[in-house]
Amino acid sequence: MPEKTPANGRTPVDFWFDPLCPWAWMTSRWMLEVEKVRDIEVRWHVMSLGVLNEDRLDELSEEYRDLLENKSWGPVRVVVAAQQEHGDAVVGPLYTALGTRFHNNGEGPTPEAVAGALQDVGLPAELARYADSDAYDTELRASHKEGIDKVGQEVGTPVIAVPGADGEQVAFFGPVVTPAPKGEDAAKLWDGTLMVASIPGFYEIKRTRTQGPIFD
């Protein structure tokens, strides 16, 4: 379970992502930076923008609705299939490969990008067939529900769960940040995240985004 402390004694941080989301990608790169400067271990889980929005598609723009219906399901299905057939350890590397191709390289969530990402991390090419299969949708939805149950319905991706004041995990949407902080800046943002998580009743800080994701 996500609450269990890793055997190596590092602080566990659970991170729910949809590989389609550029903002989740920014936050995930920050978390990898934090792993270099703080004694933490990130544990990767999928959530799904398709699942999150499936009951409100009529409220969305035509462009976003098309993205969710036709491009969002495939990548998360492939990640879940890889996890189910090859173990939890492949999730983080596969997410990095997918995100690098989707976002940094500008390939987008194409079948070719998914196939390339599988090859990048040495996973079997046949996993790509799960993009059009509901074989592991039960597991996908369970992972999504686990993250959403921690943080609530009025959020998107990413979701992170970090230690709170009493040792129990506290979950947040975000932090939403661009570009991904590095070095001491990454550490300061992490320390601040732990600080607000330690305050009972803290829920939200927000301001309008004035620039898009910077993929560096």
Side-chain angles (χ1 to χ4, degrees):
M1 295 296 291
E3 290 78 9
K4 186 177 179 180
T5 300
N8 57 23
R10 295 177 179 172
T11 299
V13 182
D14 290 287
F15 190 106
W16 282 263
F17 66 91
D18 185 321
L20 191 69
C21 178
W23 292 106
W25 178 244
M26 291 285 93
T27 309
S28 73
R29 299 311 92 183
W30 163 65
M31 287 307 314
L32 291 183
E33 288 292 315
V34 176
E35 280 193 322
K36 300 175 185 178
V37 294
R38 292 292 185 267
D39 196 22
I40 71 163
E41 179 177 300
V42 183
R43 301 182 294 195
W44 305 97
H45 314 272
V46 298
M47 63 183 295
S48 167
L49 290 171
V51 173
L52 185 68
N53 291 285
E54 62 185 349
D55 294 329
R56 55 184 295 265
L57 290 174
D58 290 345
E59 304 171 20
L60 306 176
S61 69
E62 182 178 351
E63 181 181 10
Y64 192 45
R65 185 167 61 249
D66 177 70
L67 181 70
L68 294 178
E69 291 182 317
N70 298 315
K71 296 181 179 179
S72 71
W73 286 89
V76 289
R77 281 172 164 169
V78 171
V79 174
V80 172
Q83 180 186 35
Q84 294 298 310
E85 298 188 6
H86 298 274
D88 293 342
V90 306
V91 177
L94 180 55
Y95 178 33
T96 289
L98 288 167
T100 299
R101 286 179 173 271
F102 288 4
H103 305 300
N104 292 60
N105 297 350
E107 297 177 40
T110 63
E112 294 77 14
V114 171
L118 290 169
Q119 183 177 26
D120 291 342
V121 295
L123 286 168
E126 56 263 27
L127 285 170
R129 68 184 175 87
Y130 286 104
D132 298 315
S133 168
D134 63 1
Y136 291 117
D137 278 9
T138 298
E139 290 81 0
L140 187 161
R141 288 178 179 275
S143 179
H144 175 89
K145 183 177 185 298
E146 184 177 35
I148 288 296
D149 282 352
K150 287 180 176 290
V151 74
Q153 293 291 331
E154 299 174 359
V155 300
T157 175
V159 169
I160 63 170
V162 305
D166 57 1
E168 295 295 321
Q169 283 189 322
V170 176
F172 295 113
F173 161 63
V176 176
V177 60
T178 188
K182 297 177 176 62
E184 185 57 25
D185 284 342
K188 287 192 293 185
L189 181 55
W190 169 251
D191 294 342
T193 300
L194 289 185
M195 181 184 69
V196 297
S198 73
I199 306 300
F202 173 83
Y203 292 103
E204 184 175 5
I205 294 176
K206 190 172 183 179
R207 63 174 176 166
T208 300
R209 303 174 199 175
T210 59
Q211 59 181 339
I214 299 172
F215 305 122
D216 58 354

